[in-house]
Amino acid sequence: MPTRQTGEGARIDTATGTAPGGKLAVIQLLRAAAALVVAAAHVAFAFADHLGAGLAPGLAWRGEREAQIAVLLFFIVSGYVMVEAQRGRFGTQGARSTFWRRRLIRILPPYWLASALMAGVLIVLFGQSVDPFGFARSLALVPAWPDTGEPRPMVFLWVGWTLTYEMAFYLVFGLFLGLPQRRAILAVTLVLAGAIAAGTWTVPGDPLLFALTRPLSAMFAAGMWLALWRGSGGVLPAPWRWLALAALVPALLLLPEPPQPAASGWDYLAWAGLPALLVALAALGGPLALPRADWINRAGEASYALYLLHLPVAWFWLWLWGRLPGFDAGPWDYLLTALAASIAASWLFARLVEGPLTLALNRRFAPPHRADG
């Protein structure tokens, strides 16, 4: 296959767009784009829009749907990547425990560090109090009902609510790694479907049970089956992939917003999940060669850090903003600079902290190490 050399000596497959480490560039692109959309929506409408006259007075659009589509795209990608990363490990001895350890190492330490950073910024710079019990629950990804009354279980670091779903999916996925691939994917799908059916029949009052029985878990199953189909040689012809992309327009225009998007019900799944699925089909339905796969890989590697760190960075930037001498900028200046600071901080964190820490912990607790994505 044709390849080219990057500045760091890594080989890039120019036909498939495979990035360093054997990761598909399109997966890394989806990760980076989804994280950027979430970060931009939060920095814009949870922070910048509350400065001065706001970003655009009278504007009803808040970027919520775009952020939710990005989150569900993350879930589809997670299902896809887990099947791809574990290919060859289904039905093998010891696969389950190794998988769980690597997932815990991959997800929790960066999340803990970001949560601690957020707590430190709020306590030291803003003089706010942090409930120790609630903070400890959040570190364990056990959500609670928010004070706002919204029906979406949350944790201390807001964006961590999605990690409760991720870790629940990893738990179920790992349970069936001892089975052959197709049977394992079917078993995981049936468990997820059973949980969703139970939550649809009787809505739980406990925030954790409520979260684990929401229909949005179906996005993990969609990603798994898409990966299985692609791995067996399935390819969606290019015209159909373009059609999936074009179908985004009527999906975005015609599907109504749910009365309570935070409840993550079936109407939410259609509103945000269908557009996410169309994007995934267009991007992952067949081979897609992308230019500069090495750059895309770097962006993808920093996507988790951006997802976690944009909130504490935005809070810090809010504190710094009012203390810059002789500088009274508006909300747009804050938005652009805070987002740039979040991207820079996430790149440094991924390169200097997250990557080395994950590698060291994998070598210590889950040898032999091989990146799982």
Side-chain angles (χ1 to χ4, degrees), residues 160-283:
W161 71 269
T162 64
L163 301 183
T164 300
Y165 292 89
E166 292 274 0
M167 295 306 293
F169 167 62
Y170 297 150
L171 173 63
V172 177
F173 188 91
L175 282 174
F176 298 105
L177 265 179
L179 298 177
Q181 184 185 59
R182 184 175 293 272
R183 288 174 57 192
I185 293 173
L186 178 59
V188 174
T189 302
L190 290 175
V191 171
L192 295 178
I196 293 170
T200 303
W201 183 263
T202 303
V203 179
D206 178 80
L208 180 59
L209 291 178
F210 179 87
L212 298 182
T213 55
R214 295 300 86 206
L216 55 80
S217 295
M219 295 292 98
F220 294 113
M224 288 192 301
W225 286 104
L226 180 58
L228 179 65
W229 177 68
R230 288 286 289 119
S232 62
V235 175
L236 190 65
W240 287 100
R241 293 165 70 189
W242 281 109
L243 183 61
L245 202 59
L248 270 175
V249 176
L252 292 173
L253 293 177
L254 300 179
L255 292 173
E257 179 177 354
Q260 285 188 311
S264 304
W266 290 104
D267 50 359
Y268 165 88
L269 193 64
W271 177 67
L274 180 58
L277 188 58
L278 290 171
V279 172
L281 285 174

Side-chain angles (χ1 to χ4, degrees), residues 38 42 67-68 70-72 74-75 78 107 111 141 152-155 157-170 216 220 268 304 307-308:
V38 171
H42 285 164
Q68 294 304 312
V71 164
L72 295 192
F74 267 131
F75 289 176
S78 289
I107 298 299
Y111 166 68
L141 292 175
R152 172 173 290 155
M154 299 295 286
V155 292
L157 185 67
W158 317 338
V159 293
W161 71 269
T162 64
L163 301 183
T164 300
Y165 292 89
E166 292 274 0
M167 295 306 293
F169 167 62
Y170 297 150
L216 55 80
F220 294 113
Y268 165 88
Y304 185 45
Y307 185 75
L308 294 175

Side-chain angles (χ1 to χ4, degrees), residues 254-341:
L254 300 179
L255 292 173
E257 179 177 354
Q260 285 188 311
S264 304
W266 290 104
D267 50 359
Y268 165 88
L269 193 64
W271 177 67
L274 180 58
L277 188 58
L278 290 171
V279 172
L281 285 174
L284 301 173
L288 182 63
L290 297 171
R292 301 305 310 187
D294 49 338
W295 291 4
I296 293 172
N297 185 62
R298 293 191 190 102
E301 291 295 340
S303 61
Y304 185 45
L306 178 59
Y307 185 75
L308 294 175
L309 289 181
H310 71 271
L311 292 178
V313 170
W315 274 108
F316 170 77
W317 211 249
L318 194 63
W319 174 85
L320 180 67
W321 206 239
R323 287 162 177 77
L324 295 176
F327 190 64
D328 184 21
W332 282 100
D333 304 288
Y334 170 85
L335 170 61
L336 296 176
T337 55
L339 196 56

